């Protein structure tokens, strides 16, 4: 089932949670709502579920306006951030809840409920926990039970609020891949909320980046990472180095060098910000033919697959972060205190809106 | 699992050592503090409690029993049960709805409602009784109209019930509000998304989650309803065999120098207090045991 969010506005008192938000979720996709806390992503998810009503704007399921449809009739599965399992019911009863509360005419028989619940518990690989109570489960187990419970009502749309937020790093990684596989097997439309860009980039088909109640960019992980639409998206999706720059007819200044860039060809001498990711900082020991500026290595962190360097520019005190592969680092053979030359690659330039 | 046990045993051992050396007061201070608290408890709790029962049985078992089964005493017991029997369900409904509204919804005037619920705690029970006399008494606002329609509130059972409801209504709400606020409304929302109606959510999700707190509130309400003196005294009129509750009956007997009978009836109220305390400890023990069981299983 496809979801369309059209011009949704939601205010809580004087706080504007969502400000004219429009998003299309095609049927069968796994979409991430990504943003810092307070950006309105959870509010948007709750509006899709019907747990909140928008002040203005519409929600369409498969093209049908569902804005005023009751949360019970929307056929959505919702996984809460803290799971919200019924603490006084066994795992079995938790999963069976959605079937047992149906009106008598559409309620499955006890045997059928029994079969369905065990099927779902097998799907989340926790059949052996059927008689436990929620407080007796670990975080990862609770998460999977919450998912099984949401799936019991055979929803057309699965909504997850920070599904991995409360789990430790190892469990989080496993569950992420498992959720992706599950989504593909079930042929369902899923939307999940996260503040973790790594999670969104790894799991989602499409990412909606939000900030201050507005959509900053919608696109595939590749698009939002490689072609961020705004400085916010660029900074939010990974570490960055920021340079104060000036742009003139397709050329941008960084430190004491000038670089050709593939945008802003018509811009006449204006203030701008230039962003370079740490892994796009190339380091040379000697000045080559490419434009490069001078810096000193102040710190080397060589744990893990990448070597992280901290460098200080020669012309001022600003610090630059760089990431090298281990091979490149060994090849360069540099230590703290070494003088090197920096060649930025893939520079993204955004004009300074304030001075423009 | 065994690693966890070892560590916790080790830390418990450590804690014991630490307590005896670094963070503890000298022995004489500890014993002095214990002695002071024990003396206080003995003087103000154990001695009066023992006195009630010794005085009640001073003239023998038969006098004791007779004091309880004479018609006036029986009518006082009956009236007390009636007043509690009406006040309890009404306050149950009010307490649960008030707590539900305050804990799960945002609305204007919420803080005013919370303050109003606390009012009976702040107001002297005698004033509470007087309020009803002013409203329903012969010289009160509705007095003339009511006497014209031959309907009595003051110096009759309705007044006693009203006064009892007034003094007991904060107990259940006060017990439930913090509990329901702590539990949040996630589970209720989960119930709704899964297709349950409002009633189904209340009966299947909310009520089971608050059952121990609710039971605790009911026990406290009942104890107060049966033991209330001040407010009831003002509206009752002390008519023997008609408008006397147990506490009022005790007072009348005592004023007539009928000590054995007075203490016999009082011993019933003391017993009620003891049963209340026992139930209260049982509930606390139950909830603590459940919590520790869950912790053990989750660690596995």
């Amino acid at each position: 089932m496809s979801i369309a969010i059209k011009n949704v506005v939601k205010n809580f008192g004087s706080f504007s949670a969502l400000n004219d938000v429009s998003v299309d979720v095609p049927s069968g996709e796994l979409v991430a709502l990504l943003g810092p806390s307070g950006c309105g992503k959870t509010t948007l998810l709750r509006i899709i579920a019907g747990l909140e009503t928008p002040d203005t704007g519409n929600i369409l399921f498969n093209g049908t306006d569902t804005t005023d449809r009751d949360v019970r009739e929307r056929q959505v599965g919702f996984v809460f951030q803290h799971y919200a399992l019924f603490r006084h019911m066994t795992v079995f009863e938790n999963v069976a809840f959605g079937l047992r509360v149906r009106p008598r005419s559409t309620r499955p028989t006890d045997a059928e409920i029994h079969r369905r619940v065990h099927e779902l518990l097998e799907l989340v690989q926790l059949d052996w926990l059927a008689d436990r109570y929620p407080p007796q489960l670990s975080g990862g187990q609770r998460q999977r039970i919450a998912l099984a419970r949401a799936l019991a009502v055979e929803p057309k749309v699965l909504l997850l609020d920070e599904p991995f937020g409360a789990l430790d790093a190892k469990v989080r990684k496993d569950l992420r891949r498992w959720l992706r596989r599950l989504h593909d097997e079930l042929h369902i439309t899923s939307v999940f909320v996260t503040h973790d860009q790594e999670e969104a980039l790894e799991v989602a088909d499409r990412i909606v980046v939000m900030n201050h109640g507005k959509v900053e960019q919608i696109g595939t992980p590749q698009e939002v990472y490689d072609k961020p639409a705004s400085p916010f998206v660029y900074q939010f999706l990974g570490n960055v180095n920021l340079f104060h720059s000036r742009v003139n007819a397709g050329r941008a200044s960084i430190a004491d060098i000038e670089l050709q860039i593939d945008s802003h060809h018509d811009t006449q001498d204006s203030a701008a910000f230039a962003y370079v990711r740490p892994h796009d900082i190339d380091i040379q020991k000697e000045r080559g033919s490419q434009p490069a500026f001078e810096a000193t290595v102040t710190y080397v962190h060589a744990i893990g697959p990448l070597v992280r360097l901290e460098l200080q520019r020669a012309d001022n005190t600003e610090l630059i972060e760089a990431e090298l592969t281990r091979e490149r680092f060994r090849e360069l053979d540099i230590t703290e205190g070494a003088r090197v030359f920096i060649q930025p690659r893939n520079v993204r330039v955004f004009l300074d809106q304030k001075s423009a | 699992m065994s690693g966890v046990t070892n560590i916790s045993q080790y830390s418990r051992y450590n804690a014991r050592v630490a307590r005896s050396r670094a963070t503890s007061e000298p022995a004489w201070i500890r014993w002095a503090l214990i002695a002071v608290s024990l003396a206080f408890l003995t003087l103000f709790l154990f001695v009066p409690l023992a006195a009630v029962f010794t005085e009640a049985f001073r003239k023998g078992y038969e006098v004791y029993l007779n004091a309880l089964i004479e018609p006036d005493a029986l009518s006082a017991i009956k009236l007390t049960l009636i007043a509690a029997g009406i006040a309890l369900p009404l306050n149950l409904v009010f307490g649960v709805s008030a707590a539900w509204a305050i804990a799960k919804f945002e609305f204007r005037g919420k803080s005013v409602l919370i303050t109003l619920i606390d009012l009976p705690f702040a107001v002297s029970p005698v004033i509470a009784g007087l309020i009803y006399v002013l409203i329903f008494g012969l010289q009160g606002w509705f007095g003339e109209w009511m006497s014209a329609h031959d309907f009595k509130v003051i110096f009759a059972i309705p007044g006693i019930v009203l006064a009892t409801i007034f003094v007991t209504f904060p107990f259940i709400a006060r017990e439930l509000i913090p509990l329901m606020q702590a539990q949040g409304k996630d589970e209720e929302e989960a119930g709704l998304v899964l297709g349950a109606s409002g009633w189904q959510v209340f009966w299947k999700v909310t009520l089971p989650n608050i059952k121990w707190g609710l039971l605790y509130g009911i026990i406290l309400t009942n104890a107060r309803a049966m033991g209330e003196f001040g407010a009831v005294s003002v509206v009752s009129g002390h008519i023997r065999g008609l408008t006397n509750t147990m506490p009022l009956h005790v007072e009348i007997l005592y004023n007539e120098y009928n000590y054995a009978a007075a203490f016999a009836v009082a011993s019933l109220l003391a017993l009620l207090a003891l049963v209340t305390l026992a139930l209260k400890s049982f509930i606390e023990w139950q909830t603590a045991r459940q919590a520790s069981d869950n912790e053990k299983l989750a660690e596995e």
Side-chain angles (χ1 to χ4, degrees), chain A residues 151-163:
Chain A
L151 293 173
V153 293
E154 295 180 331
K156 301 282 178 285
V157 171
L158 185 60
L159 306 171
L160 307 105
D161 187 4
E162 295 274 3

Side-chain angles (χ1 to χ4, degrees), chain A residues 56-158:
Chain A
T56 60
N58 299 78
I59 305 292
L60 281 71
F61 282 7
N62 262 351
T64 319
D65 195 333
T66 35
T67 316
D68 298 322
R69 196 185 290 170
D70 195 287
V71 50
R72 299 177 196 95
E73 296 157 12
R74 289 202 190 191
Q75 278 195 293
V76 298
F78 199 102
V79 177
F80 290 80
Q81 184 175 4
H82 301 290
Y83 320 130
L85 293 174
F86 306 125
R87 68 195 88 181
H88 63 278
M89 289 181 204
T90 61
V91 163
F92 180 92
E93 286 304 323
N94 262 283
V95 179
F97 185 89
L99 302 172
R100 289 208 200 278
V101 295
R102 286 195 184 163
R104 203 162 301 236
S105 54
T106 58
R107 193 186 306 158
T109 61
D110 264 3
E112 173 68 10
I113 289 177
H114 201 268
R115 192 187 64 76
R116 290 266 291 277
V117 171
H118 280 289
E119 210 176 87
L120 282 161
L121 287 176
E122 269 163 35
L123 179 74
V124 299
Q125 299 150 11
L126 290 176
D127 205 21
W128 53 287
L129 287 177
D131 297 327
R132 289 277 187 92
Y133 286 87
Q136 302 166 343
L137 306 178
S138 71
Q141 290 168 344
R142 280 179 218 185
Q143 171 63 269
R144 287 190 276 167
I145 296 301
L147 202 59
R149 182 180 68 177
L151 293 173
V153 293
E154 295 180 331
K156 301 282 178 285
V157 171
L158 185 60

Side-chain angles (χ1 to χ4, degrees), chain A residues 46 49 51-52 71-72 76-78 80-89 94 97-103 107 132-133 135-138 142 149-150 152-153, chain B residues 179 182-201 203-209 211 290-291 293-300:
Chain A
R46 290 170 60 86
L51 289 168
E52 306 273 359
V71 50
R72 299 177 196 95
V76 298
F78 199 102
F80 290 80
Q81 184 175 4
H82 301 290
Y83 320 130
L85 293 174
F86 306 125
R87 68 195 88 181
H88 63 278
M89 289 181 204
N94 262 283
F97 185 89
L99 302 172
R100 289 208 200 278
V101 295
R102 286 195 184 163
R107 193 186 306 158
R132 289 277 187 92
Y133 286 87
Q136 302 166 343
L137 306 178
S138 71
R142 280 179 218 185
R149 182 180 68 177
V153 293
Chain B
L179 181 68
Q183 288 177 349
K185 50 183 182 186
D186 275 8
E187 286 182 45
E188 277 81 3
E189 285 183 345
L192 288 179
V193 176
L194 289 167
S197 68
W199 267 117
Q200 282 175 321
V201 169
W203 286 107
K204 287 174 179 258
V205 178
T206 309
L207 203 57
N209 275 344
K211 64 176 181 226
Q290 246 171 32
D293 276 5
N294 290 342
E295 243 169 59
K296 265 181 232 151
L297 274 168
E299 263 176 25
E300 269 174 17

Side-chain angles (χ1 to χ4, degrees), chain A residues 96-266:
Chain A
F97 185 89
L99 302 172
R100 289 208 200 278
V101 295
R102 286 195 184 163
R104 203 162 301 236
S105 54
T106 58
R107 193 186 306 158
T109 61
D110 264 3
E112 173 68 10
I113 289 177
H114 201 268
R115 192 187 64 76
R116 290 266 291 277
V117 171
H118 280 289
E119 210 176 87
L120 282 161
L121 287 176
E122 269 163 35
L123 179 74
V124 299
Q125 299 150 11
L126 290 176
D127 205 21
W128 53 287
L129 287 177
D131 297 327
R132 289 277 187 92
Y133 286 87
Q136 302 166 343
L137 306 178
S138 71
Q141 290 168 344
R142 280 179 218 185
Q143 171 63 269
R144 287 190 276 167
I145 296 301
L147 202 59
R149 182 180 68 177
L151 293 173
V153 293
E154 295 180 331
K156 301 282 178 285
V157 171
L158 185 60
L159 306 171
L160 307 105
D161 187 4
E162 295 274 3
F164 315 109
L167 303 170
D168 49 61
K170 180 79 180 68
V171 181
R172 192 187 299 198
K173 275 221 153 115
D174 292 346
L175 268 181
R176 243 189 242 170
R177 296 197 187 117
W178 177 79
L179 177 72
R180 179 70 233 190
R181 278 205 309 277
L182 194 72
H183 167 87
D184 293 337
E185 278 167 29
L186 291 172
H187 306 292
I188 197 171
T189 308
S190 309
V191 180
F192 76 101
V193 157
T194 182
H195 63 267
D196 182 345
Q197 27 90 15
E198 202 189 312
E199 204 165 282
L201 290 170
E202 186 183 320
V203 176
D205 294 317
R206 193 182 294 265
I207 298 178
V208 179
V209 186
M210 296 179 67
N211 190 29
H212 291 307
K214 282 188 166 256
V215 173
E216 293 271 340
Q217 188 175 6
I218 302 177
T220 64
Q222 191 86 51
E223 279 165 10
V224 293
Y225 192 81
D226 290 342
K227 296 193 179 66
S230 67
F232 171 80
V233 177
Y234 201 94
Q235 293 189 52
F236 197 74
L237 284 178
N239 292 331
V240 290
N241 289 298
L242 169 69
F243 297 95
H244 290 277
S245 164
R246 290 202 78 79
V247 177
N248 191 17
R251 294 183 70 80
S253 67
I254 288 182
D256 51 7
I257 58 172
E258 256 197 14
L259 294 170
Q260 191 74 37
I261 51 170
D262 51 4
S263 60
H264 304 289
H265 297 292
D266 304 325

Side-chain angles (χ1 to χ4, degrees), chain B residues 121-142:
Chain B
F121 281 159
V123 169
S124 157
V126 177
I127 309 292
L130 274 176
I131 296 167
Y132 290 110
V133 174
L134 280 174
I135 299 173
F136 299 112
L138 214 50
Q139 269 75 43
W141 294 354
F142 303 114

Side-chain angles (χ1 to χ4, degrees), chain A residues 309-327:
Chain A
L309 301 179
E310 217 174 71
L311 306 118
Q312 188 173 14
R313 277 164 63 172
D315 54 342
N316 64 17
T317 56
E318 274 174 37
L319 292 175
I320 296 164
E321 221 182 293
E323 278 173 13
L324 303 177
T325 61
R326 282 191 163 272
E327 290 73 39

Side-chain angles (χ1 to χ4, degrees), chain A residues 20-72:
Chain A
D20 195 19
V21 168
S22 298
V23 178
D24 277 315
V25 181
S27 188
E29 274 202 356
L30 176 56
V31 170
L33 303 178
L34 175 68
S37 59
C39 74
K41 55 193 192 296
T42 296
T43 307
L44 183 58
L45 193 77
R46 290 170 60 86
I47 286 177
I48 300 173
L51 289 168
E52 306 273 359
T53 37
D55 296 343
T56 60
N58 299 78
I59 305 292
L60 281 71
F61 282 7
N62 262 351
T64 319
D65 195 333
T66 35
T67 316
D68 298 322
R69 196 185 290 170
D70 195 287
V71 50
R72 299 177 196 95

